[in-house]
Amino acid sequence: MAAILAVQIGNGLSGLTISLRTQEAGFDAAMTGWIIAGFYAGQLLGPLLSSIAVRLTRMTPAYFGFTLAAGASIYGFTLSEDAGAWILLRFLQGAGMSAMFSVVEAWLNLATGDNWRARTFAVYIMTQLVGLILGQLGVNLTGRSGDLALLAAALFMGGSGLLLVLGRLKEPSGHGMNVLWPWQLATRAPAAVLAIAVSGVNWALVMGLGPIYAERMALSLSDITVFVSLAVAGGLLAQFPLGHWADHSSRAMVLSAMGAAGALACMGAFLV
């Protein structure tokens, strides 16, 4: 889990810094949207890359390679102010991170029994969110200029792969592991796919546009980092109770309840 923590510290540092730098660079709303979308477009490609990489090598070298690629793309932001280059770099970062997470989650699925799977993933997500919060708050130490934050993010990202290699963890057997295409998953579990899509849209809005919104509200840098981190902290506090509930109840019921809670929260924010 130390490797995942390091990845998310790098993700928190880079995501918040890049959002703020888009404003400093003077990009309009449309270009800002393309830069944010580039990251998530890359994430669509990541799982396909991870499947190929694991089949050609193993999980550990695949993870290491994807974290290096993501780290290198983050460092690239210190070398260019061109919007087209930023879209490409965000695409590469998204693809590398998504592929890396696909490897990790396949590892956890293969190594965990059904009775403990929800709680195992709760701990995994909690580790991710702690790292994300630490990275976002860490921007206070690096300042608005961003170069130091991006360099640190690249080092955390690349270093996480080194942690996994040095840990020499025993990989689970991938025997019988098959690729499940998105349309196949949608056929088997349409409600779950819809929930993931809605969740993804909301996450992209909060993480991508949240810092920009806070800056346009003339909040200080420390206030911006706290504003964004609070959204992550809410998810962190909910993970283990929800994982425990899902292991002892209908997961569809848990999913429906959380969707309703999220909708009520959005309505409340709109009315304030």
Side-chain angles (χ1 to χ4, degrees):
M1 289 297 180
I4 295 300
L5 185 68
V7 161
Q8 286 295 73
I9 290 174
N11 187 23
L13 277 168
S14 63
L16 181 52
T17 300
I18 292 166
S19 289
L20 294 176
R21 286 187 71 160
T22 59
Q23 293 302 288
E24 292 184 2
F27 298 137
D28 60 20
M31 187 55 67
T32 299
W34 279 109
I35 293 169
I36 294 171
F39 180 77
Y40 294 101
Q43 290 203 321
L44 290 174
L45 178 64
L48 302 179
L49 296 177
S50 69
S51 174
I52 295 169
V54 170
R55 288 174 184 273
L56 293 177
T57 59
R58 298 188 322 277
M59 290 185 178
T60 298
Y63 179 95
F64 185 56
F66 290 132
T67 55
L68 284 181
S73 66
I74 292 171
Y75 182 72
F77 281 91
T78 66
L79 306 177
S80 174
E81 293 288 334
D82 179 70
W86 280 28
I87 294 171
L88 177 60
L89 289 169
R90 282 298 265 171
F91 178 85
L92 294 174
Q93 182 188 354
M97 291 188 61
S98 176
M100 177 274 299
F101 283 130
S102 295
V103 172
V104 172
E105 289 163 21
W107 189 319
L108 291 176
N109 263 312
L110 290 169
T112 308
D114 284 340
N115 291 338
W116 283 89
R117 182 163 288 121
R119 278 167 285 183
T120 299
F121 270 82
V123 173
Y124 163 69
I125 296 297
M126 287 171 70
T127 304
Q128 281 200 40
L129 296 181
V130 167
L132 195 57
I133 291 170
L134 291 175
Q136 290 168 338
L137 294 176
V139 174
N140 288 300
L141 302 176
T142 58
R144 275 184 185 270
S145 64
D147 283 354
L148 180 58
L150 293 172
L151 176 59
L155 291 174
F156 271 110
M157 196 74 67
S160 73
L162 189 59
L163 285 173
L164 189 65
V165 171
L166 294 176
R168 302 193 178 199
L169 300 176
K170 183 180 179 181
E171 294 185 11
S173 172
H175 180 68
M177 185 172 64
N178 297 310
V179 175
L180 182 65
W181 297 100
W183 53 87
Q184 294 173 313
L185 182 60
T187 301
R188 295 186 186 185
V193 170
L194 178 61
I196 291 169
V198 172
S199 175
V201 169
N202 286 316
W203 182 260
L205 289 172
V206 172
M207 292 296 104
L209 295 178
I212 296 172
Y213 169 79
E215 186 172 50
R216 290 184 177 180
M217 293 291 290
L219 297 183
S220 66
L221 179 60
S222 61
D223 288 340
I224 292 172
T225 61
V226 171
F227 174 79
V228 178
S229 298
L230 283 174
V232 182
L236 172 62
L237 293 175
Q239 285 306 308
F240 197 79
L242 291 181
H244 188 273
W245 184 16
D247 278 337
H248 294 86
S249 181
S250 165
R251 288 172 183 169
M253 181 186 297
V254 176
L255 193 62
S256 298
M258 289 306 97
L264 288 173
C266 289
M267 289 177 63
F270 176 75
L271 294 173
V272 171

